[in-house]
Amino acid sequence: KAVVSTQSTGNIDVTNFNKLGYVKAYIQWKFVDRIEEQIKAFKNGFAYVIPLSKLAVFDENELEYLMCGIAQIDVEDWCKYTEFKGGYSSTHHVVVWFWKAVRSFDNEFRARLLQFVTGTSRVPMNGFRELQGSNGPQKFCIEKWGGPNDLPRAHTCFNRIDLPPYNDYHTLKDKLKTAVECTGGFEID
């Protein structure tokens, strides 16, 4: 049983009825309210160097690429530090097709795929072995999920891609490209 203490109402029991509201409020506090003053200071300092009006034409992904560039992504290192779930293994034909598709992509699209799955287009300084998740070190993960008509989906907090069991390489590559190109951002179910 969880109990939440608030300034306005005191202690409130978290129940199945109000747990979604609690999660939303906690995320708001953790990622917005708690660091609001630091974000304002950073934004003001950043705007002093680069006027924010000049950045309005970029989305967050383009801005990251603009500021950080795109480092060469070592696919062999990526493969080496990947784990598998749901019946997949490094030798499963769908996983082999996945890596074949990744190798066929140019470095910019690899970075976009990495961002789709992990939330960042950057590889840690010492490679994929130091990839971080929401709770510390977290390897890249490919998990079997869904059916051949589904698009892959990502869980950025866990560096995990849910990859359906496609029937052929070209379908996998097309669906992977569509998922990365048409990503919709963050959402709470």
Side-chain angles (χ1 to χ4, degrees):
K1 178 178 174 182
V3 176
V4 179
S5 180
T6 67
Q7 289 180 344
S8 61
T9 59
N11 291 342
I12 299 172
D13 289 340
V14 177
T15 65
N16 279 333
F17 178 72
N18 67 6
K19 69 182 173 187
L20 182 60
Y22 166 75
V23 169
K24 286 181 178 182
Y26 181 77
I27 289 171
Q28 175 69 28
W29 172 79
K30 179 98 173 166
F31 295 110
V32 179
D33 299 343
R34 177 175 75 114
I35 58 171
E36 186 173 14
E37 292 204 22
Q38 293 91 332
I39 294 294
K40 282 182 185 175
F42 176 81
K43 184 178 175 184
N44 291 337
F46 193 84
Y48 181 78
V49 177
I50 302 172
L52 297 179
S53 62
K54 303 286 185 197
L55 301 175
V57 298
F58 302 107
D59 68 21
E60 68 278 6
N61 298 330
E62 293 167 328
L63 186 58
E64 181 182 5
Y65 294 147
L66 183 66
M67 293 179 64
C68 302
I70 300 174
Q72 191 63 31
I73 295 177
D74 181 346
V75 178
E76 299 316 310
D77 186 57
W78 195 350
C79 292
K80 183 177 178 181
Y81 293 102
T82 295
E83 59 186 21
F84 308 95
K85 292 184 177 177
Y88 280 159
S89 68
S90 62
T91 59
H92 190 284
H93 66 275
V94 172
V95 172
V96 171
W97 292 338
F98 174 83
W99 292 121
K100 180 179 177 182
V102 171
R103 286 182 182 91
S104 77
F105 298 144
D106 63 24
N107 201 60
E108 180 180 352
F109 197 84
R110 289 176 191 161
R112 291 177 64 196
L113 171 62
L114 183 62
Q115 185 162 46
F116 171 70
V117 180
T118 68
T120 181
S121 63
R122 308 291 294 172
V123 177
M125 188 169 75
N126 292 318
F128 282 92
R129 72 173 173 253
E130 292 188 358
L131 198 60
Q132 296 291 308
S134 60
N135 295 318
Q138 182 76 52
K139 286 185 175 181
F140 187 86
C141 179
I142 301 173
E143 182 163 357
K144 186 176 184 178
W145 166 86
N149 294 323
D150 294 318
L151 289 173
R153 65 182 185 181
H155 302 273
T156 56
C157 290
F158 306 108
N159 299 332
R160 188 177 85 219
I161 186 168
D162 291 345
L163 191 62
Y166 296 114
N167 296 320
D168 63 87
Y169 166 74
H170 294 292
T171 301
L172 179 144
K173 186 175 178 181
D174 290 344
K175 296 275 190 177
L176 190 57
K177 287 173 72 174
T178 299
V180 171
E181 291 169 348
C182 299
T183 186
F186 180 76
E187 144 183 340
I188 299 174
D189 293 331

PDB file of all heavy atoms in Angstrom, residues 156-182:
ATOM      1  N   THR A 156      12.114   3.534 -24.158  1.00  0.00           N
ATOM      2  CA  THR A 156      13.386   4.242 -23.983  1.00  0.00           C
ATOM      3  C   THR A 156      13.947   4.130 -22.573  1.00  0.00           C
ATOM      4  O   THR A 156      15.168   4.176 -22.414  1.00  0.00           O
ATOM      5  CB  THR A 156      13.247   5.727 -24.374  1.00  0.00           C
ATOM      6  OG1 THR A 156      12.195   6.320 -23.605  1.00  0.00           O
ATOM      7  CG2 THR A 156      12.945   5.879 -25.857  1.00  0.00           C
ATOM      8  N   CYS A 157      13.102   3.989 -21.569  1.00  0.00           N
ATOM      9  CA  CYS A 157      13.611   3.866 -20.200  1.00  0.00           C
ATOM     10  C   CYS A 157      14.418   2.582 -20.016  1.00  0.00           C
ATOM     11  O   CYS A 157      15.253   2.486 -19.121  1.00  0.00           O
ATOM     12  CB  CYS A 157      12.470   3.888 -19.196  1.00  0.00           C
ATOM     13  SG  CYS A 157      11.668   5.486 -19.053  1.00  0.00           S
ATOM     14  N   PHE A 158      14.137   1.590 -20.856  1.00  0.00           N
ATOM     15  CA  PHE A 158      14.776   0.280 -20.716  1.00  0.00           C
ATOM     16  C   PHE A 158      15.672  -0.056 -21.909  1.00  0.00           C
ATOM     17  O   PHE A 158      16.140  -1.192 -22.017  1.00  0.00           O
ATOM     18  CB  PHE A 158      13.702  -0.801 -20.545  1.00  0.00           C
ATOM     19  CG  PHE A 158      12.756  -0.496 -19.419  1.00  0.00           C
ATOM     20  CD1 PHE A 158      11.451  -0.111 -19.691  1.00  0.00           C
ATOM     21  CD2 PHE A 158      13.176  -0.548 -18.102  1.00  0.00           C
ATOM     22  CE1 PHE A 158      10.575   0.194 -18.660  1.00  0.00           C
ATOM     23  CE2 PHE A 158      12.306  -0.243 -17.072  1.00  0.00           C
ATOM     24  CZ  PHE A 158      11.008   0.130 -17.344  1.00  0.00           C
ATOM     25  N   ASN A 159      15.873   0.893 -22.829  1.00  0.00           N
ATOM     26  CA  ASN A 159      16.702   0.667 -24.025  1.00  0.00           C
ATOM     27  C   ASN A 159      16.245  -0.575 -24.777  1.00  0.00           C
ATOM     28  O   ASN A 159      17.047  -1.365 -25.263  1.00  0.00           O
ATOM     29  CB  ASN A 159      18.186   0.536 -23.656  1.00  0.00           C
ATOM     30  CG  ASN A 159      18.732   1.786 -23.005  1.00  0.00           C
ATOM     31  OD1 ASN A 159      18.244   2.879 -23.253  1.00  0.00           O
ATOM     32  ND2 ASN A 159      19.734   1.632 -22.171  1.00  0.00           N
ATOM     33  N   ARG A 160      14.927  -0.747 -24.870  1.00  0.00           N
ATOM     34  CA  ARG A 160      14.376  -1.979 -25.446  1.00  0.00           C
ATOM     35  C   ARG A 160      13.533  -1.685 -26.674  1.00  0.00           C
ATOM     36  O   ARG A 160      12.708  -0.783 -26.679  1.00  0.00           O
ATOM     37  CB  ARG A 160      13.512  -2.691 -24.406  1.00  0.00           C
ATOM     38  CG  ARG A 160      13.057  -4.076 -24.876  1.00  0.00           C
ATOM     39  CD  ARG A 160      12.260  -4.804 -23.820  1.00  0.00           C
ATOM     40  NE  ARG A 160      10.863  -4.415 -23.888  1.00  0.00           N
ATOM     41  CZ  ARG A 160      10.087  -4.228 -22.837  1.00  0.00           C
ATOM     42  NH1 ARG A 160      10.550  -4.385 -21.616  1.00  0.00           N
ATOM     43  NH2 ARG A 160       8.827  -3.875 -22.980  1.00  0.00           N
ATOM     44  N   ILE A 161      13.758  -2.493 -27.698  1.00  0.00           N
ATOM     45  CA  ILE A 161      12.892  -2.474 -28.868  1.00  0.00           C
ATOM     46  C   ILE A 161      12.089  -3.759 -28.873  1.00  0.00           C
ATOM     47  O   ILE A 161      12.642  -4.850 -28.706  1.00  0.00           O
ATOM     48  CB  ILE A 161      13.679  -2.286 -30.184  1.00  0.00           C
ATOM     49  CG1 ILE A 161      12.711  -2.133 -31.368  1.00  0.00           C
ATOM     50  CG2 ILE A 161      14.699  -3.392 -30.421  1.00  0.00           C
ATOM     51  CD1 ILE A 161      13.369  -1.657 -32.647  1.00  0.00           C
ATOM     52  N   ASP A 162      10.782  -3.614 -28.990  1.00  0.00           N
ATOM     53  CA  ASP A 162       9.902  -4.769 -29.147  1.00  0.00           C
ATOM     54  C   ASP A 162       9.798  -5.020 -30.643  1.00  0.00           C
ATOM     55  O   ASP A 162       9.250  -4.198 -31.383  1.00  0.00           O
ATOM     56  CB  ASP A 162       8.523  -4.480 -28.559  1.00  0.00           C
ATOM     57  CG  ASP A 162       8.547  -4.380 -27.043  1.00  0.00           C
ATOM     58  OD1 ASP A 162       9.534  -4.809 -26.426  1.00  0.00           O
ATOM     59  OD2 ASP A 162       7.559  -3.871 -26.473  1.00  0.00           O
ATOM     60  N   LEU A 163      10.343  -6.132 -31.071  1.00  0.00           N
ATOM     61  CA  LEU A 163      10.470  -6.436 -32.493  1.00  0.00           C
ATOM     62  C   LEU A 163       9.583  -7.618 -32.852  1.00  0.00           C
ATOM     63  O   LEU A 163       9.806  -8.734 -32.382  1.00  0.00           O
ATOM     64  CB  LEU A 163      11.937  -6.751 -32.813  1.00  0.00           C
ATOM     65  CG  LEU A 163      12.335  -6.836 -34.255  1.00  0.00           C
ATOM     66  CD1 LEU A 163      12.130  -5.499 -34.982  1.00  0.00           C
ATOM     67  CD2 LEU A 163      13.805  -7.252 -34.365  1.00  0.00           C
ATOM     68  N   PRO A 164       8.552  -7.371 -33.672  1.00  0.00           N
ATOM     69  CA  PRO A 164       7.668  -8.470 -34.063  1.00  0.00           C
ATOM     70  C   PRO A 164       8.400  -9.549 -34.876  1.00  0.00           C
ATOM     71  O   PRO A 164       9.425  -9.267 -35.510  1.00  0.00           O
ATOM     72  CB  PRO A 164       6.607  -7.777 -34.924  1.00  0.00           C
ATOM     73  CG  PRO A 164       6.600  -6.366 -34.437  1.00  0.00           C
ATOM     74  CD  PRO A 164       8.048  -6.078 -34.134  1.00  0.00           C
ATOM     75  N   PRO A 165       7.865 -10.757 -34.882  1.00  0.00           N
ATOM     76  CA  PRO A 165       8.478 -11.864 -35.637  1.00  0.00           C
ATOM     77  C   PRO A 165       8.085 -11.781 -37.120  1.00  0.00           C
ATOM     78  O   PRO A 165       7.186 -12.479 -37.575  1.00  0.00           O
ATOM     79  CB  PRO A 165       7.895 -13.105 -34.958  1.00  0.00           C
ATOM     80  CG  PRO A 165       6.554 -12.643 -34.459  1.00  0.00           C
ATOM     81  CD  PRO A 165       6.735 -11.203 -34.071  1.00  0.00           C
ATOM     82  N   TYR A 166       8.787 -10.945 -37.856  1.00  0.00           N
ATOM     83  CA  TYR A 166       8.471 -10.755 -39.279  1.00  0.00           C
ATOM     84  C   TYR A 166       8.815 -12.004 -40.078  1.00  0.00           C
ATOM     85  O   TYR A 166       9.680 -12.790 -39.700  1.00  0.00           O
ATOM     86  CB  TYR A 166       9.214  -9.534 -39.829  1.00  0.00           C
ATOM     87  CG  TYR A 166       8.775  -8.257 -39.165  1.00  0.00           C
ATOM     88  CD1 TYR A 166       9.649  -7.525 -38.372  1.00  0.00           C
ATOM     89  CD2 TYR A 166       7.472  -7.801 -39.299  1.00  0.00           C
ATOM     90  CE1 TYR A 166       9.242  -6.363 -37.739  1.00  0.00           C
ATOM     91  CE2 TYR A 166       7.047  -6.636 -38.670  1.00  0.00           C
ATOM     92  CZ  TYR A 166       7.939  -5.924 -37.900  1.00  0.00           C
ATOM     93  OH  TYR A 166       7.524  -4.783 -37.277  1.00  0.00           O
ATOM     94  N   ASN A 167       8.136 -12.139 -41.217  1.00  0.00           N
ATOM     95  CA  ASN A 167       8.312 -13.326 -42.058  1.00  0.00           C
ATOM     96  C   ASN A 167       9.450 -13.197 -43.064  1.00  0.00           C
ATOM     97  O   ASN A 167       9.854 -14.197 -43.647  1.00  0.00           O
ATOM     98  CB  ASN A 167       7.004 -13.628 -42.804  1.00  0.00           C
ATOM     99  CG  ASN A 167       5.895 -13.988 -41.834  1.00  0.00           C
ATOM    100  OD1 ASN A 167       6.119 -14.691 -40.860  1.00  0.00           O
ATOM    101  ND2 ASN A 167       4.705 -13.477 -42.092  1.00  0.00           N
ATOM    102  N   ASP A 168       9.939 -11.959 -43.291  1.00  0.00           N
ATOM    103  CA  ASP A 168      11.049 -11.789 -44.228  1.00  0.00           C
ATOM    104  C   ASP A 168      11.815 -10.511 -43.902  1.00  0.00           C
ATOM    105  O   ASP A 168      11.318  -9.618 -43.208  1.00  0.00           O
ATOM    106  CB  ASP A 168      10.542 -11.755 -45.678  1.00  0.00           C
ATOM    107  CG  ASP A 168       9.628 -10.593 -45.955  1.00  0.00           C
ATOM    108  OD1 ASP A 168      10.137  -9.514 -46.293  1.00  0.00           O
ATOM    109  OD2 ASP A 168       8.391 -10.756 -45.806  1.00  0.00           O
ATOM    110  N   TYR A 169      13.026 -10.446 -44.423  1.00  0.00           N
ATOM    111  CA  TYR A 169      13.942  -9.335 -44.167  1.00  0.00           C
ATOM    112  C   TYR A 169      13.382  -8.004 -44.643  1.00  0.00           C
ATOM    113  O   TYR A 169      13.452  -7.000 -43.922  1.00  0.00           O
ATOM    114  CB  TYR A 169      15.290  -9.616 -44.837  1.00  0.00           C
ATOM    115  CG  TYR A 169      16.187  -8.398 -44.910  1.00  0.00           C
ATOM    116  CD1 TYR A 169      16.818  -7.917 -43.769  1.00  0.00           C
ATOM    117  CD2 TYR A 169      16.394  -7.723 -46.113  1.00  0.00           C
ATOM    118  CE1 TYR A 169      17.643  -6.795 -43.824  1.00  0.00           C
ATOM    119  CE2 TYR A 169      17.212  -6.610 -46.176  1.00  0.00           C
ATOM    120  CZ  TYR A 169      17.825  -6.144 -45.031  1.00  0.00           C
ATOM    121  OH  TYR A 169      18.622  -5.031 -45.082  1.00  0.00           O
ATOM    122  N   HIS A 170      12.822  -7.943 -45.836  1.00  0.00           N
ATOM    123  CA  HIS A 170      12.365  -6.667 -46.402  1.00  0.00           C
ATOM    124  C   HIS A 170      11.218  -6.071 -45.598  1.00  0.00           C
ATOM    125  O   HIS A 170      11.151  -4.853 -45.407  1.00  0.00           O
ATOM    126  CB  HIS A 170      11.998  -6.837 -47.878  1.00  0.00           C
ATOM    127  CG  HIS A 170      13.195  -7.173 -48.722  1.00  0.00           C
ATOM    128  ND1 HIS A 170      14.210  -6.278 -48.957  1.00  0.00           N
ATOM    129  CD2 HIS A 170      13.547  -8.327 -49.344  1.00  0.00           C
ATOM    130  CE1 HIS A 170      15.144  -6.850 -49.699  1.00  0.00           C
ATOM    131  NE2 HIS A 170      14.766  -8.093 -49.945  1.00  0.00           N
ATOM    132  N   THR A 171      10.329  -6.912 -45.092  1.00  0.00           N
ATOM    133  CA  THR A 171       9.244  -6.423 -44.235  1.00  0.00           C
ATOM    134  C   THR A 171       9.828  -5.843 -42.955  1.00  0.00           C
ATOM    135  O   THR A 171       9.438  -4.762 -42.523  1.00  0.00           O
ATOM    136  CB  THR A 171       8.244  -7.551 -43.919  1.00  0.00           C
ATOM    137  OG1 THR A 171       7.701  -8.050 -45.146  1.00  0.00           O
ATOM    138  CG2 THR A 171       7.126  -7.062 -43.016  1.00  0.00           C
ATOM    139  N   LEU A 172      10.761  -6.555 -42.340  1.00  0.00           N
ATOM    140  CA  LEU A 172      11.400  -6.069 -41.118  1.00  0.00           C
ATOM    141  C   LEU A 172      12.037  -4.708 -41.379  1.00  0.00           C
ATOM    142  O   LEU A 172      11.805  -3.757 -40.622  1.00  0.00           O
ATOM    143  CB  LEU A 172      12.453  -7.053 -40.623  1.00  0.00           C
ATOM    144  CG  LEU A 172      13.215  -6.624 -39.356  1.00  0.00           C
ATOM    145  CD1 LEU A 172      13.520  -7.825 -38.485  1.00  0.00           C
ATOM    146  CD2 LEU A 172      14.481  -5.872 -39.669  1.00  0.00           C
ATOM    147  N   LYS A 173      12.807  -4.590 -42.432  1.00  0.00           N
ATOM    148  CA  LYS A 173      13.502  -3.333 -42.716  1.00  0.00           C
ATOM    149  C   LYS A 173      12.503  -2.198 -42.968  1.00  0.00           C
ATOM    150  O   LYS A 173      12.663  -1.099 -42.421  1.00  0.00           O
ATOM    151  CB  LYS A 173      14.426  -3.509 -43.927  1.00  0.00           C
ATOM    152  CG  LYS A 173      15.281  -2.291 -44.200  1.00  0.00           C
ATOM    153  CD  LYS A 173      16.258  -2.556 -45.337  1.00  0.00           C
ATOM    154  CE  LYS A 173      17.081  -1.311 -45.633  1.00  0.00           C
ATOM    155  NZ  LYS A 173      18.020  -1.532 -46.745  1.00  0.00           N
ATOM    156  N   ASP A 174      11.471  -2.454 -43.730  1.00  0.00           N
ATOM    157  CA  ASP A 174      10.465  -1.425 -44.018  1.00  0.00           C
ATOM    158  C   ASP A 174       9.726  -0.997 -42.752  1.00  0.00           C
ATOM    159  O   ASP A 174       9.504   0.191 -42.521  1.00  0.00           O
ATOM    160  CB  ASP A 174       9.463  -1.919 -45.066  1.00  0.00           C
ATOM    161  CG  ASP A 174      10.073  -2.044 -46.460  1.00  0.00           C
ATOM    162  OD1 ASP A 174      11.164  -1.471 -46.703  1.00  0.00           O
ATOM    163  OD2 ASP A 174       9.451  -2.720 -47.299  1.00  0.00           O
ATOM    164  N   LYS A 175       9.325  -1.966 -41.945  1.00  0.00           N
ATOM    165  CA  LYS A 175       8.587  -1.652 -40.712  1.00  0.00           C
ATOM    166  C   LYS A 175       9.489  -0.902 -39.727  1.00  0.00           C
ATOM    167  O   LYS A 175       9.040   0.023 -39.039  1.00  0.00           O
ATOM    168  CB  LYS A 175       8.049  -2.927 -40.055  1.00  0.00           C
ATOM    169  CG  LYS A 175       7.027  -3.672 -40.882  1.00  0.00           C
ATOM    170  CD  LYS A 175       5.640  -3.146 -40.684  1.00  0.00           C
ATOM    171  CE  LYS A 175       4.630  -4.065 -41.340  1.00  0.00           C
ATOM    172  NZ  LYS A 175       3.262  -3.621 -41.102  1.00  0.00           N
ATOM    173  N   LEU A 176      10.747  -1.278 -39.659  1.00  0.00           N
ATOM    174  CA  LEU A 176      11.700  -0.603 -38.781  1.00  0.00           C
ATOM    175  C   LEU A 176      11.880   0.853 -39.220  1.00  0.00           C
ATOM    176  O   LEU A 176      11.834   1.773 -38.395  1.00  0.00           O
ATOM    177  CB  LEU A 176      13.034  -1.350 -38.791  1.00  0.00           C
ATOM    178  CG  LEU A 176      14.080  -0.951 -37.772  1.00  0.00           C
ATOM    179  CD1 LEU A 176      13.544  -1.055 -36.352  1.00  0.00           C
ATOM    180  CD2 LEU A 176      15.321  -1.828 -37.940  1.00  0.00           C
ATOM    181  N   LYS A 177      12.038   1.067 -40.512  1.00  0.00           N
ATOM    182  CA  LYS A 177      12.181   2.435 -41.029  1.00  0.00           C
ATOM    183  C   LYS A 177      10.931   3.254 -40.745  1.00  0.00           C
ATOM    184  O   LYS A 177      11.020   4.409 -40.321  1.00  0.00           O
ATOM    185  CB  LYS A 177      12.487   2.410 -42.526  1.00  0.00           C
ATOM    186  CG  LYS A 177      13.915   1.961 -42.832  1.00  0.00           C
ATOM    187  CD  LYS A 177      14.151   1.782 -44.302  1.00  0.00           C
ATOM    188  CE  LYS A 177      14.219   3.103 -45.017  1.00  0.00           C
ATOM    189  NZ  LYS A 177      14.592   2.957 -46.439  1.00  0.00           N
ATOM    190  N   THR A 178       9.767   2.666 -40.943  1.00  0.00           N
ATOM    191  CA  THR A 178       8.512   3.378 -40.686  1.00  0.00           C
ATOM    192  C   THR A 178       8.397   3.756 -39.212  1.00  0.00           C
ATOM    193  O   THR A 178       8.028   4.887 -38.877  1.00  0.00           O
ATOM    194  CB  THR A 178       7.305   2.514 -41.107  1.00  0.00           C
ATOM    195  OG1 THR A 178       7.393   2.256 -42.507  1.00  0.00           O
ATOM    196  CG2 THR A 178       5.994   3.212 -40.797  1.00  0.00           C
ATOM    197  N   ALA A 179       8.725   2.838 -38.330  1.00  0.00           N
ATOM    198  CA  ALA A 179       8.635   3.111 -36.886  1.00  0.00           C
ATOM    199  C   ALA A 179       9.554   4.261 -36.495  1.00  0.00           C
ATOM    200  O   ALA A 179       9.153   5.159 -35.739  1.00  0.00           O
ATOM    201  CB  ALA A 179       8.983   1.853 -36.087  1.00  0.00           C
ATOM    202  N   VAL A 180      10.773   4.260 -37.007  1.00  0.00           N
ATOM    203  CA  VAL A 180      11.731   5.312 -36.657  1.00  0.00           C
ATOM    204  C   VAL A 180      11.312   6.647 -37.256  1.00  0.00           C
ATOM    205  O   VAL A 180      11.371   7.691 -36.590  1.00  0.00           O
ATOM    206  CB  VAL A 180      13.156   4.922 -37.113  1.00  0.00           C
ATOM    207  CG1 VAL A 180      14.118   6.084 -36.962  1.00  0.00           C
ATOM    208  CG2 VAL A 180      13.645   3.712 -36.331  1.00  0.00           C
ATOM    209  N   GLU A 181      10.867   6.635 -38.495  1.00  0.00           N
ATOM    210  CA  GLU A 181      10.514   7.884 -39.181  1.00  0.00           C
ATOM    211  C   GLU A 181       9.209   8.481 -38.691  1.00  0.00           C
ATOM    212  O   GLU A 181       8.998   9.684 -38.788  1.00  0.00           O
ATOM    213  CB  GLU A 181      10.454   7.653 -40.685  1.00  0.00           C
ATOM    214  CG  GLU A 181      11.810   7.398 -41.292  1.00  0.00           C
ATOM    215  CD  GLU A 181      11.780   6.912 -42.740  1.00  0.00           C
ATOM    216  OE1 GLU A 181      10.702   6.559 -43.231  1.00  0.00           O
ATOM    217  OE2 GLU A 181      12.862   6.900 -43.342  1.00  0.00           O
ATOM    218  N   CYS A 182       8.328   7.676 -38.166  1.00  0.00           N
ATOM    219  CA  CYS A 182       6.990   8.154 -37.768  1.00  0.00           C
ATOM    220  C   CYS A 182       6.792   8.127 -36.269  1.00  0.00           C
ATOM    221  O   CYS A 182       5.648   8.073 -35.802  1.00  0.00           O
ATOM    222  CB  CYS A 182       5.916   7.303 -38.458  1.00  0.00           C
ATOM    223  SG  CYS A 182       5.994   7.392 -40.242  1.00  0.00           S
TER     224      CYS A 182
END
